[in-house]
Amino acid sequence: MNDERQQRVLDAAQRLFLKYGYDKTTVNDIAAEAGISKGAVYLHFKSKEAVMDALILREGQRVQADIMRRLAADPDGGNLFNIFRYGLIGLAENELMRAFYSRRREVFGDLLKRLAPKIADAEARSMSVEFVRQYQAAGLIRPELDPATVAFLMMVMRYGLLTIDEVVPRDESPPIEAVGALIADLLQRGLAPEGGGDPEAGKALFNTLAQGALERLKQQGRPAPDTEEGK
Amino acid sequence: MNDERQQRVLDAAQRLFLKYGYDKTTVNDIAAEAGISKGAVYLHFKSKEAVMDALILREGQRVQADIMRRLAADPDGGNLFNIFRYGLIGLAENELMRAFYSRRREVFGDLLKRLAPKIADAEARSMSVEFVRQYQAAGLIRPELDPATVAFLMMVMRYGLLTIDEVVPRDESPPIEAVGALIADLLQRGLAPEGGGDPEAGKALFNTLAQGALERLKQQGRPAPDTEEGK
DNA sequence: ATATGACCAAAATCGTCATATGGGTCAATC
DNA sequence: GATTGACCCATATGACGATTTTGGTCATAT
């Protein structure tokens, strides 16, 4: 009901999960950090796991919104490589999403096992071969390139960017915006056909794909209809 | 002395370390797998840790040799992006090096703590800002690009490629050769100046850098002269 | 010379159990 | 009727000693 309180709980949980990890954070800690009692947490969420689920959903949606905002602000937003670029930046700037994609056990603890398929799903969805193939069919990627290899390479870049802070501390890395711009420029020069293809086709295709992605993300919020949940 | 026997021990250790991990592999196991007795292992190596060190050194040198072979076979081998490409392929094809770069605890177990600086060192050396800067100075990378961002992006690609098999099983990935070729092509089109720069400058620069790298790798073989070894 | 495997001390593992913790509930309270 | 926090109980933790494992050595055998 009280949505603002619910957000406060999620804020508290996010802080604590990222700092101490899911396992070491108690429901009491969350309640205290949010300035309410333990029982009140259970007024909003049916379990500790549900808090994490809601948190991931919320941050995922925030990232989505962030990406949309950047795309809307960019006159060349419909361009495939700018979509990829803003997706990259949006994810990389969200600490929870970064932890999510790099499967950080210190953050998700025992939940990781249950979360793994969800991560794999998000991973696959965000840069699938099919996605690339459609852009290629629309004439936005040079026809002689192998879509599987292109998709894989883009996955590699995204995965690398989201996980490299295990090697290079974030504060020693160049600004994400600069890296994203370089990547988009690189892909544009390297993958697009002479002349850059038809931007309108890109926009149209993107709208279709984005619609599907948004709907699937929403569905993650409600309990899976059937999928076996057994150990 | 008996070098062939020593190699057999390393072969055995490599198989077992990769399959069961350093911790779960006993010296007896290694001896048995190599077809000799435990005592004989200590004729060649002063400790179990020394076996791992020797193994990493051997595989590192093999990768080096592999890279050199590919470079020599390629008429355009001196090109920066082909160097990067063959470095990538060489590392990615070596299972131990892949495990090394992705810091797989299942493989290295408790040694990981001690190995960490060695990994970080290898990481930094193989694509440093200085490296890029020199190539840029030699006119092989467009001058308006920020060397730190370029170096970072290349690190991201390398790191991503070496670690992504935690997400995409290796047998579902496109062939490494194809990915390497695409990456080199992408970088060439995206980073090189119009006309591609002077290939001779590239070759000369590379020879200098390779010399340094080889020497440093050899030094890893002998005990560190002083570096504090404390817990 | 070279290689072996019994041997040793140190460390890891196991089994047990007493205690503490923390997720979730609900009667009491505001 | 919204909120609390004392309470319950399944699970986690850690102490402990007994037992096994295992890295490393060395007297002996080949």
Side-chain angles (χ1 to χ4, degrees):
Chain A
M1 304 290 138
N2 188 337
D3 197 46
E4 189 258 335
R5 250 185 165 34
Q6 184 158 328
Q7 294 303 315
R8 280 246 302 285
V9 173
L10 291 181
D11 292 341
Q14 179 164 36
R15 261 191 307 275
L16 297 175
F17 289 166
L18 283 171
K19 191 161 180 185
Y20 306 106
Y22 178 82
D23 290 344
K24 300 217 171 176
T25 301
T26 74
V27 177
N28 244 323
D29 292 340
I30 298 173
E33 177 87 8
I36 60 176
S37 74
K38 182 163 73 157
V41 171
Y42 286 90
L43 256 35
H44 296 289
F45 304 95
K46 81 175 221 304
S47 69
K48 187 184 173 188
E49 286 200 24
V51 175
M52 177 63 94
D53 287 342
L55 184 58
I56 291 173
L57 179 63
R58 182 182 81 170
E59 294 306 301
Q61 285 175 339
R62 281 187 176 174
V63 167
Q64 282 261 355
D66 181 55
I67 295 171
M68 292 305 188
R69 202 174 317 120
R70 288 177 199 269
L71 281 173
D74 187 335
D76 192 21
N79 179 297
L80 166 64
F81 307 114
N82 277 330
I83 297 169
F84 182 66
R85 162 194 188 172
Y86 294 130
L88 227 49
I89 294 178
L91 283 174
E93 280 193 341
N94 188 290
E95 202 178 343
L96 192 81
M97 286 296 111
R98 243 163 40 228
F100 185 69
Y101 274 91
S102 31
R103 297 163 166 70
R104 295 191 53 180
R105 177 153 280 117
E106 321 91 81
V107 172
F108 296 101
D110 301 334
L111 284 194
L112 212 56
K113 200 203 56 180
R114 189 175 63 79
L115 254 32
K118 199 183 270 200
I119 303 175
D121 191 53
E123 203 105 49
R125 188 171 343 113
S126 60
M127 187 43 59
S128 69
V129 179
E130 204 38 52
F131 194 91
V132 171
R133 217 189 297 275
Q134 291 190 39
Y135 269 91
Q136 194 172 36
L140 298 159
I141 294 181
R142 280 187 286 130
E144 74 270 23
L145 295 173
D146 172 41
T149 307
V150 171
F152 182 74
L153 176 59
M154 291 173 82
M155 265 194 76
V156 163
M157 290 199 273
R158 193 169 52 68
Y159 184 71
L161 191 62
L162 294 179
T163 58
I164 200 166
D165 55 359
E166 292 167 18
V167 179
V168 185
R170 234 175 136 53
D171 55 5
E172 289 177 21
S173 305
I176 262 288
E177 308 272 355
V179 179
L182 179 59
I183 288 179
D185 182 59
L186 209 69
L187 292 174
Q188 177 69 41
R189 291 168 182 258
L191 301 184
E194 304 293 325
D198 174 18
E200 287 315 311
K203 258 174 219 172
L205 189 48
F206 170 65
N207 284 335
T208 314
L209 296 170
Q211 195 57 36
L214 233 155
E215 263 165 36
R216 245 169 307 176
L217 193 64
K218 267 187 194 140
Q219 297 218 339
Q220 279 197 8
R222 52 194 77 226
D226 194 36
T227 334
E228 99 280 39
E229 194 76 8
K231 188 215 158 159
Chain B
M1 306 294 134
N2 187 336
D3 196 46
E4 190 258 335
R5 251 188 163 33
Q6 185 158 328
Q7 294 303 317
R8 280 247 301 285
V9 173
L10 290 181
D11 292 341
Q14 179 164 36
R15 263 193 304 276
L16 297 175
F17 288 166
L18 284 171
K19 191 160 179 185
Y20 306 106
Y22 177 82
D23 289 345
K24 300 217 171 176
T25 301
T26 73
V27 177
N28 245 324
D29 292 341
I30 297 173
E33 177 87 8
I36 59 176
S37 73
K38 183 163 72 159
V41 171
Y42 285 92
L43 253 37
H44 296 288
F45 303 96
K46 82 174 221 302
S47 70
K48 187 184 172 188
E49 286 200 24
V51 175
M52 177 64 93
D53 287 342
L55 183 58
I56 292 174
L57 179 64
R58 183 183 80 169
E59 294 306 302
Q61 284 175 339
R62 281 187 175 174
V63 168
Q64 282 259 355
D66 181 54
I67 295 172
M68 292 304 188
R69 203 174 315 121
R70 288 177 198 269
L71 281 173
D74 188 334
D76 191 23
N79 179 297
L80 166 64
F81 308 113
N82 278 330
I83 297 169
F84 182 65
R85 161 194 189 175
Y86 295 128
L88 228 47
I89 294 179
L91 283 174
E93 281 192 341
N94 189 291
E95 202 178 342
L96 192 82
M97 285 297 110
R98 243 162 41 228
F100 185 70
Y101 274 91
S102 29
R103 297 162 165 69
R104 297 191 52 181
R105 178 154 278 116
E106 322 91 81
V107 173
F108 296 102
D110 301 334
L111 284 194
L112 211 57
K113 200 203 56 180
R114 190 175 62 81
L115 255 32
K118 199 183 267 200
I119 302 176
D121 191 52
E123 203 105 50
R125 186 170 346 113
S126 61
M127 185 46 57
S128 69
V129 179
E130 204 37 52
F131 194 91
V132 171
R133 216 190 298 275
Q134 291 190 40
Y135 269 91
Q136 194 172 37
L140 298 158
I141 294 180
R142 280 187 287 130
E144 74 269 25
L145 295 172
D146 171 41
T149 308
V150 171
F152 181 74
L153 176 59
M154 291 173 83
M155 265 194 76
V156 163
M157 291 199 272
R158 193 169 53 67
Y159 184 71
L161 190 62
L162 294 179
T163 58
I164 200 168
D165 55 357
E166 291 167 17
V167 180
V168 184
R170 234 176 136 54
D171 55 5
E172 289 176 22
S173 305
I176 268 285
E177 308 271 355
V179 179
L182 179 59
I183 288 179
D185 182 59
L186 208 69
L187 293 174
Q188 178 68 42
R189 290 167 182 260
L191 301 183
E194 304 293 325
D198 174 17
E200 287 315 312
K203 258 174 220 171
L205 188 48
F206 170 64
N207 284 335
T208 313
L209 298 170
Q211 196 56 38
L214 234 154
E215 261 165 38
R216 244 169 307 176
L217 193 64
K218 266 187 196 140
Q219 296 217 340
Q220 280 197 7
R222 52 196 76 227
D226 194 37
T227 332
E228 99 279 39
E229 195 76 8
K231 184 207 163 162

